[in-house]
Amino acid sequence: MTTIKDVAERAGVSIKTVSRVLNEEPHVRAQVKERVLEAARELDYKPNRAASRLAGGRSFLIAHLYDNPNPSYISALHIGAARRCRELGYHLVVEPVNSQDKDLLGLVRRLFATIAPDGILLSPPLSENTEFVESVRQLGGRIALISATHGDEWTHISTDERGASKAIMAHLLGLGHRRIGFVRGHPQHFGATLRYDGYCQSLVEAGLALEPALVAQGYFDLQSGLEATRSLLALPQRPTAIFASNDEMAVGALMAAREFGLNVPEDLSIIGFDDTPMSRLISPALTTVRQPLEAMGAAGVETIVSPDKAPGDYLDFEIILRDSCAPPRG
Amino acid sequence: MTTIKDVAERAGVSIKTVSRVLNEEPHVRAQVKERVLEAARELDYKPNRAASRLAGGRSFLIAHLYDNPNPSYISALHIGAARRCRELGYHLVVEPVNSQDKDLLGLVRRLFATIAPDGILLSPPLSENTEFVESVRQLGGRIALISATHGDEWTHISTDERGASKAIMAHLLGLGHRRIGFVRGHPQHFGATLRYDGYCQSLVEAGLALEPALVAQGYFDLQSGLEATRSLLALPQRPTAIFASNDEMAVGALMAAREFGLNVPEDLSIIGFDDTPMSRLISPALTTVRQPLEAMGAAGVETIVSPDKAPGDYLDFEIILRDSCAPPRG
DNA sequence: TCTCCCTATGACAACGGTAACATAAAGAGC
DNA sequence: GCTCTTTATGTTACCGTTGTCATAGGGAGA
């Protein structure tokens, strides 16, 4: 294995100079820098990160702590994060946990003591636990929060879920829907609240009444979506469209529609959120919202590696129009 | 941060002795061992893995190289692998890659040069690429292969996919089906071949003819499952059941059935494979096969950490009976 | 009883980087 | 031209562990 010493020798400089060049520290002449870089290239030198870390530098590891609500969500984050990591010479360590675990903080502490990641990526629901986030912060590590907002605004990676919700509503209203049912997401999920906000704002801005009866509570799982939609469809004056706060509940909504003998989208339009793989596979395919999850994972890594870079704006969402929406009957 | 030195001091021994105890090396008196362990416990000592690695020991990192065919598959592997890693003091590094990438081996080489994982977990399709697997092996790292078989049999983690296929067939045959269509999986996927093998063997053992017309090629995606099933249902004497080599194609089969005006399961039974989350959500819910993916991930880690442990037998699959199968009409 | 070997333990170097400090050379200000 | 900074580079200690080798003591075999 070639080491920094070999590179130094070949370039005719000291190892410290090589270190400087490789870490982009100042005070190296352009000419020397070039010489070092070339030597490194020729020897195919790759720094030993265990040594970097031990000497007080970075570990080039980023840990993603998550409690898995949804494989495709996590998977997409991983792909985006890992790709960016690779570009930056980092590596992504995954730590699936149980968010109910009493000793979560102990796990983080152990993480720092053993592999000392340069930062920690937190996704919902972990990123929404203010107390936990603060504790982790106090342990000294850098943090990037996916889809959550509290404390330092620099560290947040999110899409404008409220805006996405409004865009979906605009679509529905544009089709002519006036009675739109809403299935709320898990009460502790921050994004769920934003999605609901968007729903409410859209109605108000359209000059429509906000009927509490048209809003039902769900918990992001199929069953709750099914039950919530049942209650909505049982209304004397039933909605012509259902906006579910995520895809899984939208599938529940679809089942409820079937129970009521309603055709989707002719008799009932249905909207999901998240664009899980399933929303494409189900019939009719769901109109839904896609968050740029890979970009969010990448942005999280970015935030950790270069915390002083410009605070990221919202990342763009995308409305995926498929077959579950149509103008209302009559 | 407390180091090995602190522990040594507290226990009244040299750091080397502490190291010996912690690494379960021989030649330490039970009494001393106990003393060291207690000191470590009291100080909440956690070894610095960068230092371990640098000194020529293990890195306590295991990398999972994968090309993501299916988020829930990968996710389950990660959960199982990461859990076992945690129990063993290891950490799981994820490396999603493009299996078509020309420089895959370069990536592995870089991996070894920078973070030097103690082993590499390979899942399909990577684990099925003999040439690649051999190259990685030559780079010196330990390997665990998920669902693939070649070379050293110690390093394989798999379920008996042929057996699972036969179990599914037994179920179908038990229901009374005699004309069973089969949608093959991707030709390069080893498991797909095993599943097909199971289908063939079952027919033969049941004394039924193996009709080539009842077998259609698919590629694991929805569209190919849809098309394959269409061709099967267009047969003059159509099958009463369709066994698709994975869930996604089974969904395609479901759609094809609908196109033909067939009710599932009354007019047509459908079987999937993999038990993806979708198979539970779709209507009718799919009867399918579940592989113990978490256990497989854990076994992979185990294989890497303790390569001389007993070669794992097949891990048990499970038949998940749901609503997509019924006795044939008439 | 005397080797010889094995067990239990420690001292110390080594791993491959980075940080702190030293130093030489080059500009800046007067 | 002379001091005072600043820039460019090198020297060396150090990070926290494991490997190598040395050594003392105890038991087995002759």
Side-chain angles (χ1 to χ4, degrees), chain B residues 290-319:
Chain B
R290 178 188 298 162
Q291 298 191 61
L293 295 173
E294 295 191 12
M296 290 166 76
V301 168
E302 196 75 49
T303 300
I304 286 171
V305 175
S306 321
D308 24 72
K309 281 255 181 79
D313 252 343
Y314 281 138
L315 293 165
D316 291 336
F317 59 84
E318 200 179 336
I319 304 290

mmCIF file of all heavy atoms in Angstrom, chain B residues 290-319:
data_model
loop_
_atom_site.group_PDB
_atom_site.id
_atom_site.type_symbol
_atom_site.label_atom_id
_atom_site.label_comp_id
_atom_site.label_asym_id
_atom_site.label_seq_id
_atom_site.Cartn_x
_atom_site.Cartn_y
_atom_site.Cartn_z
ATOM 1 N N ARG B 290 -41.710 -15.594 1.482
ATOM 2 C CA ARG B 290 -40.876 -14.633 2.185
ATOM 3 C C ARG B 290 -39.531 -15.254 2.501
ATOM 4 O O ARG B 290 -39.442 -16.319 3.102
ATOM 5 C CB ARG B 290 -41.554 -14.187 3.475
ATOM 6 C CG ARG B 290 -40.696 -13.209 4.288
ATOM 7 C CD ARG B 290 -41.303 -12.937 5.647
ATOM 8 N NE ARG B 290 -42.604 -12.315 5.488
ATOM 9 C CZ ARG B 290 -43.532 -12.267 6.450
ATOM 10 N NH1 ARG B 290 -43.291 -12.833 7.624
ATOM 11 N NH2 ARG B 290 -44.687 -11.681 6.243
ATOM 12 N N GLN B 291 -38.488 -14.554 2.097
ATOM 13 C CA GLN B 291 -37.152 -14.976 2.501
ATOM 14 C C GLN B 291 -36.808 -14.237 3.796
ATOM 15 O O GLN B 291 -37.213 -13.106 3.977
ATOM 16 C CB GLN B 291 -36.126 -14.615 1.427
ATOM 17 C CG GLN B 291 -36.358 -15.285 0.108
ATOM 18 C CD GLN B 291 -35.162 -15.105 -0.817
ATOM 19 O OE1 GLN B 291 -34.062 -15.541 -0.521
ATOM 20 N NE2 GLN B 291 -35.378 -14.436 -1.943
ATOM 21 N N PRO B 292 -36.054 -14.861 4.664
ATOM 22 C CA PRO B 292 -35.705 -14.217 5.929
ATOM 23 C C PRO B 292 -34.565 -13.234 5.711
ATOM 24 O O PRO B 292 -33.433 -13.495 6.116
ATOM 25 C CB PRO B 292 -35.274 -15.395 6.802
ATOM 26 C CG PRO B 292 -34.709 -16.378 5.831
ATOM 27 C CD PRO B 292 -35.454 -16.189 4.534
ATOM 28 N N LEU B 293 -34.892 -12.129 5.063
ATOM 29 C CA LEU B 293 -33.832 -11.224 4.614
ATOM 30 C C LEU B 293 -33.003 -10.659 5.761
ATOM 31 O O LEU B 293 -31.793 -10.532 5.661
ATOM 32 C CB LEU B 293 -34.444 -10.098 3.788
ATOM 33 C CG LEU B 293 -35.080 -10.585 2.484
ATOM 34 C CD1 LEU B 293 -35.830 -9.453 1.792
ATOM 35 C CD2 LEU B 293 -34.007 -11.142 1.564
ATOM 36 N N GLU B 294 -33.669 -10.331 6.842
ATOM 37 C CA GLU B 294 -32.908 -9.779 7.963
ATOM 38 C C GLU B 294 -31.928 -10.822 8.485
ATOM 39 O O GLU B 294 -30.765 -10.520 8.752
ATOM 40 C CB GLU B 294 -33.848 -9.313 9.075
ATOM 41 C CG GLU B 294 -34.733 -8.156 8.635
ATOM 42 C CD GLU B 294 -35.476 -7.498 9.790
ATOM 43 O OE1 GLU B 294 -35.153 -7.775 10.961
ATOM 44 O OE2 GLU B 294 -36.394 -6.702 9.513
ATOM 45 N N ALA B 295 -32.405 -12.033 8.583
ATOM 46 C CA ALA B 295 -31.528 -13.106 9.052
ATOM 47 C C ALA B 295 -30.375 -13.309 8.068
ATOM 48 O O ALA B 295 -29.251 -13.614 8.458
ATOM 49 C CB ALA B 295 -32.312 -14.390 9.213
ATOM 50 N N MET B 296 -30.659 -13.115 6.795
ATOM 51 C CA MET B 296 -29.609 -13.291 5.799
ATOM 52 C C MET B 296 -28.550 -12.200 5.932
ATOM 53 O O MET B 296 -27.348 -12.462 5.829
ATOM 54 C CB MET B 296 -30.216 -13.303 4.392
ATOM 55 C CG MET B 296 -31.038 -14.565 4.138
ATOM 56 S SD MET B 296 -32.098 -14.452 2.675
ATOM 57 C CE MET B 296 -30.893 -14.671 1.373
ATOM 58 N N GLY B 297 -29.012 -10.979 6.156
ATOM 59 C CA GLY B 297 -28.062 -9.892 6.377
ATOM 60 C C GLY B 297 -27.199 -10.194 7.595
ATOM 61 O O GLY B 297 -25.975 -10.040 7.568
ATOM 62 N N ALA B 298 -27.850 -10.648 8.656
ATOM 63 C CA ALA B 298 -27.126 -10.970 9.889
ATOM 64 C C ALA B 298 -26.133 -12.098 9.638
ATOM 65 O O ALA B 298 -24.975 -12.033 10.078
ATOM 66 C CB ALA B 298 -28.116 -11.361 10.977
ATOM 67 N N ALA B 299 -26.561 -13.094 8.895
ATOM 68 C CA ALA B 299 -25.680 -14.227 8.610
ATOM 69 C C ALA B 299 -24.478 -13.792 7.788
ATOM 70 O O ALA B 299 -23.371 -14.297 7.962
ATOM 71 C CB ALA B 299 -26.459 -15.311 7.868
ATOM 72 N N GLY B 300 -24.703 -12.847 6.907
ATOM 73 C CA GLY B 300 -23.607 -12.324 6.110
ATOM 74 C C GLY B 300 -22.536 -11.707 6.994
ATOM 75 O O GLY B 300 -21.345 -11.970 6.843
ATOM 76 N N VAL B 301 -22.980 -10.905 7.922
ATOM 77 C CA VAL B 301 -22.052 -10.269 8.865
ATOM 78 C C VAL B 301 -21.319 -11.342 9.669
ATOM 79 O O VAL B 301 -20.087 -11.304 9.812
ATOM 80 C CB VAL B 301 -22.815 -9.321 9.807
ATOM 81 C CG1 VAL B 301 -21.928 -8.891 10.961
ATOM 82 C CG2 VAL B 301 -23.331 -8.119 9.036
ATOM 83 N N GLU B 302 -22.078 -12.278 10.129
ATOM 84 C CA GLU B 302 -21.523 -13.395 10.905
ATOM 85 C C GLU B 302 -20.414 -14.104 10.128
ATOM 86 O O GLU B 302 -19.326 -14.368 10.649
ATOM 87 C CB GLU B 302 -22.667 -14.378 11.177
ATOM 88 C CG GLU B 302 -22.389 -15.375 12.244
ATOM 89 C CD GLU B 302 -22.480 -14.713 13.596
ATOM 90 O OE1 GLU B 302 -23.483 -14.013 13.857
ATOM 91 O OE2 GLU B 302 -21.535 -14.886 14.367
ATOM 92 N N THR B 303 -20.702 -14.374 8.898
ATOM 93 C CA THR B 303 -19.749 -15.058 8.030
ATOM 94 C C THR B 303 -18.429 -14.299 7.932
ATOM 95 O O THR B 303 -17.351 -14.884 7.893
ATOM 96 C CB THR B 303 -20.334 -15.185 6.610
ATOM 97 O OG1 THR B 303 -21.531 -15.939 6.693
ATOM 98 C CG2 THR B 303 -19.368 -15.862 5.673
ATOM 99 N N ILE B 304 -18.555 -12.993 7.879
ATOM 100 C CA ILE B 304 -17.352 -12.174 7.739
ATOM 101 C C ILE B 304 -16.576 -12.098 9.047
ATOM 102 O O ILE B 304 -15.355 -12.209 9.076
ATOM 103 C CB ILE B 304 -17.738 -10.760 7.251
ATOM 104 C CG1 ILE B 304 -18.107 -10.836 5.777
ATOM 105 C CG2 ILE B 304 -16.605 -9.778 7.481
ATOM 106 C CD1 ILE B 304 -18.699 -9.584 5.216
ATOM 107 N N VAL B 305 -17.323 -11.935 10.127
ATOM 108 C CA VAL B 305 -16.653 -11.775 11.421
ATOM 109 C C VAL B 305 -16.045 -13.095 11.905
ATOM 110 O O VAL B 305 -14.937 -13.128 12.417
ATOM 111 C CB VAL B 305 -17.639 -11.220 12.472
ATOM 112 C CG1 VAL B 305 -16.978 -11.176 13.840
ATOM 113 C CG2 VAL B 305 -18.115 -9.839 12.064
ATOM 114 N N SER B 306 -16.772 -14.174 11.725
ATOM 115 C CA SER B 306 -16.275 -15.486 12.169
ATOM 116 C C SER B 306 -16.342 -16.479 11.035
ATOM 117 O O SER B 306 -17.237 -17.311 10.975
ATOM 118 C CB SER B 306 -17.131 -16.004 13.327
ATOM 119 O OG SER B 306 -17.478 -14.970 14.205
ATOM 120 N N PRO B 307 -15.395 -16.394 10.133
ATOM 121 C CA PRO B 307 -15.475 -17.191 8.905
ATOM 122 C C PRO B 307 -15.346 -18.695 9.154
ATOM 123 O O PRO B 307 -15.738 -19.486 8.306
ATOM 124 C CB PRO B 307 -14.298 -16.696 8.067
ATOM 125 C CG PRO B 307 -13.508 -15.799 8.930
ATOM 126 C CD PRO B 307 -14.170 -15.635 10.244
ATOM 127 N N ASP B 308 -14.845 -19.048 10.296
ATOM 128 C CA ASP B 308 -14.642 -20.477 10.504
ATOM 129 C C ASP B 308 -15.783 -21.137 11.259
ATOM 130 O O ASP B 308 -15.753 -22.328 11.526
ATOM 131 C CB ASP B 308 -13.321 -20.715 11.236
ATOM 132 C CG ASP B 308 -12.903 -19.492 12.031
ATOM 133 O OD1 ASP B 308 -13.530 -19.215 13.061
ATOM 134 O OD2 ASP B 308 -11.986 -18.813 11.569
ATOM 135 N N LYS B 309 -16.777 -20.339 11.599
ATOM 136 C CA LYS B 309 -17.971 -20.932 12.194
ATOM 137 C C LYS B 309 -18.603 -21.913 11.217
ATOM 138 O O LYS B 309 -18.368 -21.865 10.015
ATOM 139 C CB LYS B 309 -18.988 -19.824 12.523
ATOM 140 C CG LYS B 309 -18.674 -19.059 13.797
ATOM 141 C CD LYS B 309 -19.619 -19.484 14.936
ATOM 142 C CE LYS B 309 -19.329 -18.711 16.213
ATOM 143 N NZ LYS B 309 -19.921 -17.372 16.159
ATOM 144 N N ALA B 310 -19.412 -22.776 11.749
ATOM 145 C CA ALA B 310 -20.071 -23.785 10.916
ATOM 146 C C ALA B 310 -20.710 -23.147 9.687
ATOM 147 O O ALA B 310 -21.343 -22.106 9.781
ATOM 148 C CB ALA B 310 -21.138 -24.501 11.729
ATOM 149 N N PRO B 311 -20.508 -23.746 8.535
ATOM 150 C CA PRO B 311 -21.122 -23.211 7.329
ATOM 151 C C PRO B 311 -22.626 -23.222 7.489
ATOM 152 O O PRO B 311 -23.232 -24.245 7.773
ATOM 153 C CB PRO B 311 -20.670 -24.190 6.246
ATOM 154 C CG PRO B 311 -20.313 -25.439 6.971
ATOM 155 C CD PRO B 311 -19.844 -25.023 8.323
ATOM 156 N N GLY B 312 -23.232 -22.101 7.307
ATOM 157 C CA GLY B 312 -24.675 -21.989 7.507
ATOM 158 C C GLY B 312 -25.438 -22.864 6.538
ATOM 159 O O GLY B 312 -25.136 -22.891 5.352
ATOM 160 N N ASP B 313 -26.399 -23.527 7.059
ATOM 161 C CA ASP B 313 -27.329 -24.233 6.199
ATOM 162 C C ASP B 313 -28.207 -23.204 5.507
ATOM 163 O O ASP B 313 -28.109 -22.024 5.761
ATOM 164 C CB ASP B 313 -28.216 -25.146 7.062
ATOM 165 C CG ASP B 313 -27.836 -26.602 6.855
ATOM 166 O OD1 ASP B 313 -27.159 -26.897 5.865
ATOM 167 O OD2 ASP B 313 -28.206 -27.417 7.708
ATOM 168 N N TYR B 314 -29.083 -23.674 4.674
ATOM 169 C CA TYR B 314 -30.106 -22.801 4.131
ATOM 170 C C TYR B 314 -30.873 -22.152 5.264
ATOM 171 O O TYR B 314 -31.157 -22.776 6.285
ATOM 172 C CB TYR B 314 -31.111 -23.617 3.323
ATOM 173 C CG TYR B 314 -30.645 -23.984 1.944
ATOM 174 C CD1 TYR B 314 -30.874 -25.254 1.439
ATOM 175 C CD2 TYR B 314 -30.034 -23.035 1.128
ATOM 176 C CE1 TYR B 314 -30.480 -25.597 0.159
ATOM 177 C CE2 TYR B 314 -29.633 -23.378 -0.153
ATOM 178 C CZ TYR B 314 -29.850 -24.652 -0.636
ATOM 179 O OH TYR B 314 -29.468 -24.975 -1.899
ATOM 180 N N LEU B 315 -31.231 -20.920 5.082
ATOM 181 C CA LEU B 315 -32.124 -20.264 6.038
ATOM 182 C C LEU B 315 -33.557 -20.537 5.610
ATOM 183 O O LEU B 315 -33.845 -20.665 4.414
ATOM 184 C CB LEU B 315 -31.838 -18.764 6.059
ATOM 185 C CG LEU B 315 -30.456 -18.427 6.636
ATOM 186 C CD1 LEU B 315 -30.061 -16.998 6.296
ATOM 187 C CD2 LEU B 315 -30.459 -18.641 8.136
ATOM 188 N N ASP B 316 -34.433 -20.609 6.571
ATOM 189 C CA ASP B 316 -35.808 -21.017 6.256
ATOM 190 C C ASP B 316 -36.630 -19.949 5.539
ATOM 191 O O ASP B 316 -36.711 -18.816 5.977
ATOM 192 C CB ASP B 316 -36.549 -21.383 7.550
ATOM 193 C CG ASP B 316 -36.000 -22.662 8.146
ATOM 194 O OD1 ASP B 316 -35.432 -23.463 7.380
ATOM 195 O OD2 ASP B 316 -36.138 -22.854 9.362
ATOM 196 N N PHE B 317 -37.248 -20.364 4.477
ATOM 197 C CA PHE B 317 -38.220 -19.472 3.822
ATOM 198 C C PHE B 317 -39.581 -19.676 4.472
ATOM 199 O O PHE B 317 -39.760 -20.537 5.342
ATOM 200 C CB PHE B 317 -38.312 -19.785 2.325
ATOM 201 C CG PHE B 317 -38.722 -21.204 2.047
ATOM 202 C CD1 PHE B 317 -40.066 -21.571 2.034
ATOM 203 C CD2 PHE B 317 -37.758 -22.183 1.816
ATOM 204 C CE1 PHE B 317 -40.441 -22.884 1.792
ATOM 205 C CE2 PHE B 317 -38.123 -23.494 1.573
ATOM 206 C CZ PHE B 317 -39.463 -23.856 1.571
ATOM 207 N N GLU B 318 -40.523 -18.899 4.036
ATOM 208 C CA GLU B 318 -41.852 -18.983 4.616
ATOM 209 C C GLU B 318 -42.878 -18.731 3.508
ATOM 210 O O GLU B 318 -42.702 -17.807 2.708
ATOM 211 C CB GLU B 318 -41.963 -17.875 5.672
ATOM 212 C CG GLU B 318 -43.050 -18.056 6.701
ATOM 213 C CD GLU B 318 -43.012 -16.895 7.698
ATOM 214 O OE1 GLU B 318 -41.926 -16.278 7.845
ATOM 215 O OE2 GLU B 318 -44.040 -16.589 8.294
ATOM 216 N N ILE B 319 -43.880 -19.567 3.464
ATOM 217 C CA ILE B 319 -44.941 -19.341 2.474
ATOM 218 C C ILE B 319 -45.994 -18.449 3.114
ATOM 219 O O ILE B 319 -46.497 -18.755 4.194
ATOM 220 C CB ILE B 319 -45.615 -20.674 2.070
ATOM 221 C CG1 ILE B 319 -44.566 -21.671 1.546
ATOM 222 C CG2 ILE B 319 -46.699 -20.435 1.035
ATOM 223 C CD1 ILE B 319 -43.977 -21.307 0.227
#
